[in-house]
Amino acid sequence: MEEQFILRVPPAVAERIDRLLKDGRSGTFFIGNDHFPASLLDLPCIVESYKTYDDSVLIKTADVGQIIMVRENGDPDPEGVEYKHGLTPPMRDARRRRFRREPDLNPEFVQRVEKDLHDIIYRKTTDNVDILHIYSYHSCS
């Protein structure tokens, strides 16, 4: 069973950790005299964490969106900033198998559509709409 813990550090250490996490996503994990390479990675989806006091009522305790991956010396660095596998075996390669791919959209097209929607909302006319086509589409359905 997985457990959570809170790491409480003095303000000076917290500032240093915050600065390190903003500057990069890799570091070194020390335990005793041993040190291991570590990386901060985004999970493919948010994982909710629950706790129970009476084995019947669950209380949500946290949303987990990142993982600190500690590796053996010599293991390759992870590719990118996202851990492509979830926390459990069914989530293996979750991004590719379970989530739809983001569409390839032309940024100019998106900006034009946003402008047209803005114009429609504020009762302005648009340059890119064929009114006859809209009326004929709605009358046929």
Side-chain angles (χ1 to χ4, degrees), residues 26 51 54 100 115 117 140:
S26 61
K51 184 174 186 170
D54 59 3
R100 67 178 173 198
K115 180 189 173 298
L117 285 173
C140 294

Side-chain angles (χ1 to χ4, degrees), residues 17-139:
I17 290 172
D18 190 42
R19 190 172 51 250
L20 286 172
L21 292 178
K22 286 180 182 174
D23 291 343
R25 291 177 162 251
S26 61
T28 304
F29 177 79
F30 290 92
I31 185 163
N33 293 331
D34 298 326
H35 62 281
F36 303 93
S39 299
L40 176 68
L41 301 170
D42 297 334
L43 290 171
C45 61
I46 301 295
V47 177
E48 294 180 342
S49 175
Y50 292 88
K51 184 174 186 170
T52 183
Y53 294 105
D54 59 3
D55 291 330
S56 64
V57 176
L58 294 174
I59 300 168
K60 184 176 176 180
T61 58
D63 284 330
V64 181
Q66 294 179 316
I67 183 173
I68 296 177
M69 181 69 65
V70 178
R71 303 179 312 276
E72 290 285 344
N73 290 319
D75 285 352
D77 291 340
E79 298 175 11
V81 297
E82 182 179 75
Y83 183 59
K84 68 179 187 174
H85 310 298
L87 299 178
T88 60
M91 289 297 289
R92 182 134 187 96
D93 205 10
R95 177 66 63 197
R96 183 183 59 80
R97 293 185 320 115
R98 296 185 177 258
F99 302 117
R100 67 178 173 198
R101 288 163 183 70
E102 292 187 20
D104 295 328
L105 294 177
N106 181 350
E108 295 168 0
F109 175 72
V110 172
Q111 289 174 352
R112 191 177 80 224
V113 169
E114 286 176 348
K115 180 189 173 298
D116 289 346
L117 285 173
H118 183 269
D119 291 345
I120 290 169
I121 290 171
Y122 291 104
R123 306 278 189 226
K124 297 179 182 177
T125 60
T126 60
D127 299 331
N128 301 324
V129 177
D130 181 6
I131 300 297
L132 294 176
H133 178 71
I134 291 174
Y135 285 128
S136 64
Y137 174 76
H138 288 295
S139 63

